């Protein structure tokens, strides 16, 4: 058995911590949803582009930097739609609700792969789907406000778009994920710019929005790129799941957002199902079944 690369694990863990701050910045800023989305997308896109340029070992023509294939365009479009749903969800419900719904993404990806990629369904994966769905039902039962349900629905939209992105990546294996990432961010800025308001944005908001793009998008993505090259897909996926419990923890520690028992129990069920599914599917792939998602 090969040893796990500690540095790689730490890099992926730092990326997960960076991603877990997504909801926090929506609590710090006073800007509305479109304005927050615009600046987060613009700053995030610039940071990822800068990282991509810095990682190139030879000079790159500007023309190639902004030339995108069909696959990169499709992936960027799905990512943009997911990002808009994701950030908007935090304005309507708790960070815990959004984080736990996002935990269903591995299993939503599996469900979409059954339909569009023709992978085989096995009893363990289907069982994980049922446990995850039950967890969502338990979690939703712990909410009663209309805004919460709107936020949860937006979080599901984000999860569906991101799962679709994963499936689309299999259709377009030659798509450059780095280019698709900064293309998606710039696309988000263009889409939200007509609805953003710039006259009422205070200097403190610009600072938080800059950090939003730098920490949550730029640093998270850049550090993850380094870490994921040093560890297996299984280790990266499992360490990446730490983002989900961390997000509600930060919300509780910094803003006093409490997690009631149904939400906590449902979230634990979702996380358990995700861990079991990721572990089992990775073992299947390692055993030679290349059709298993």
């Amino acid at each position: 058995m090969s040893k796990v690369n500690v540095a790689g694990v730490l890099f992926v863990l730092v990326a997960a911590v960076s991603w877990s701050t997504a909801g926090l910045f929506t609590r710090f800023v006073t800007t509305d949803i479109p304005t927050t989305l615009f600046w987060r997308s613009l700053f995030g896109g610039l940071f990822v582009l800068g990282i991509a340029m810095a990682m190139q070992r030879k000079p790159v023509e500007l023309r190639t930097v902004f030339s995108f294939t069909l696959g990169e365009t499709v992936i960027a479009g799905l990512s943009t739609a997911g990002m808009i749903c994701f950030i908007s969800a935090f304005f309507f419900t708790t960070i815990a609700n959004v984080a736990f719904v996002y935990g269903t993404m591995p299993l939503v990806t599996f469900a979409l792969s059954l339909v569009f990629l023709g992978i085989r369904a096995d009893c363990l994966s289907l069982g994980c789907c049922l446990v995850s769905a039950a967890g969502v039902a338990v979690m939703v039962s712990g909410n009663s406000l209309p805004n919460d349900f709107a936020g949860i629905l937006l979080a599901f939209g984000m999860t569906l778009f991101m799962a679709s992105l994963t499936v689309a990546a299999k259709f377009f294996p030659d798509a450059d994920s780095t280019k698709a990432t900064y293309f998606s961010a710039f696309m988000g800025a263009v889409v939200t710019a007509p609805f953003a308001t710039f006259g009422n944005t205070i200097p403190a908001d610009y600072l938080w929005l800059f950090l939003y793009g730098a920490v949550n998008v730029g640093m998270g993505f850049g550090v993850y790129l380094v870490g994921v090259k040093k560890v297996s897909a299984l280790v990266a996926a499992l360490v990446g799941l730490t983002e989900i419990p961390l997000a509600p923890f930060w919300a509780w520690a910094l803003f006093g957002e409490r997690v009631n028992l149904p939400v906590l129990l449902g979230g634990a069920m979702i996380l358990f199902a995700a861990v079991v599914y990721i572990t089992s599917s990775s073992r299947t792939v390692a055993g030679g079944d290349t059709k298993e998602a």
Side-chain angles (χ1 to χ4, degrees):
M1 181 181 294
S2 60
K3 293 183 179 179
V4 175
N5 187 295
V6 176
V9 171
L10 289 176
F11 279 124
V12 175
L13 183 60
V14 169
V17 173
S18 300
W19 291 330
S20 72
T21 64
L24 299 181
F25 289 99
T26 63
R27 303 299 189 258
F28 284 121
V29 299
T30 63
T31 47
D32 56 24
I33 296 175
T35 308
T36 303
L37 284 166
F38 171 80
W39 288 112
R40 188 257 191 189
S41 299
L42 181 62
F43 289 135
L46 289 173
F47 266 92
V48 174
L49 177 59
I51 291 168
M53 297 293 288
M55 291 180 68
Q56 294 292 331
R57 297 182 178 180
K58 56 183 179 180
V60 181
E61 294 182 13
L62 193 63
R63 176 177 55 84
T64 62
V65 172
F66 293 102
S67 176
F68 305 102
T69 65
L70 175 62
E72 290 158 0
T73 303
V74 171
I75 291 171
L78 290 169
S79 179
T80 298
M83 179 271 298
I84 290 173
C85 289
F86 182 50
I87 304 304
S88 299
F90 290 117
F91 285 83
F92 291 95
T93 190
T94 64
I95 291 172
N97 280 340
V98 178
F100 287 139
V101 168
Y102 184 56
T104 65
M105 197 190 82
L107 294 160
V108 173
T109 304
F110 166 71
L112 291 177
S113 297
L114 285 176
V115 177
F116 295 104
L117 298 180
I119 67 167
R120 291 200 307 268
D122 60 275
C123 293
L124 183 59
S125 296
L126 291 175
C128 289
C129 286
L130 291 175
V131 172
S132 184
V136 170
V138 172
M139 188 194 76
V140 171
S141 71
N143 296 274
S144 57
L145 298 177
N147 274 0
D148 279 323
F149 290 111
I152 290 172
L153 186 62
L154 283 166
F156 269 118
M158 175 272 296
T159 305
L160 183 61
F161 280 121
M162 297 308 290
S164 300
L165 181 157
T166 303
V167 175
K170 295 183 180 294
F171 276 108
F172 303 102
D174 296 328
D176 187 326
S177 60
T178 305
K179 293 180 71 174
T181 299
Y182 64 73
F183 184 24
S184 169
F186 292 140
M187 191 184 297
V190 171
V191 169
T192 56
F195 308 99
T197 54
F198 303 104
N200 298 327
T201 305
I202 61 177
D205 283 334
Y206 283 116
L207 173 62
W208 286 119
L209 291 166
F210 172 80
L211 291 174
Y212 202 171
V215 174
N216 185 243
V217 184
M219 189 175 79
F221 180 79
V223 173
Y224 181 77
L225 274 183
V226 176
V228 78
K229 293 180 179 180
K230 299 178 180 291
V231 297
S232 67
L234 171 62
V235 171
L238 290 177
V239 174
L241 282 179
T242 57
E243 169 194 358
I244 297 167
L246 276 176
F249 171 77
W250 301 138
W252 168 77
L254 296 176
F255 299 101
E257 284 192 12
R258 297 187 178 275
V259 181
N260 59 34
L261 184 58
V263 172
L264 188 60
L265 178 59
M269 293 170 68
I270 292 168
L271 270 175
F272 172 77
V275 170
V276 172
Y277 170 73
I278 290 172
T279 305
S280 64
S281 59
S282 176
R283 285 174 179 169
T284 303
V285 172
D289 186 354
T290 58
K291 290 199 74 177
E292 188 67 51

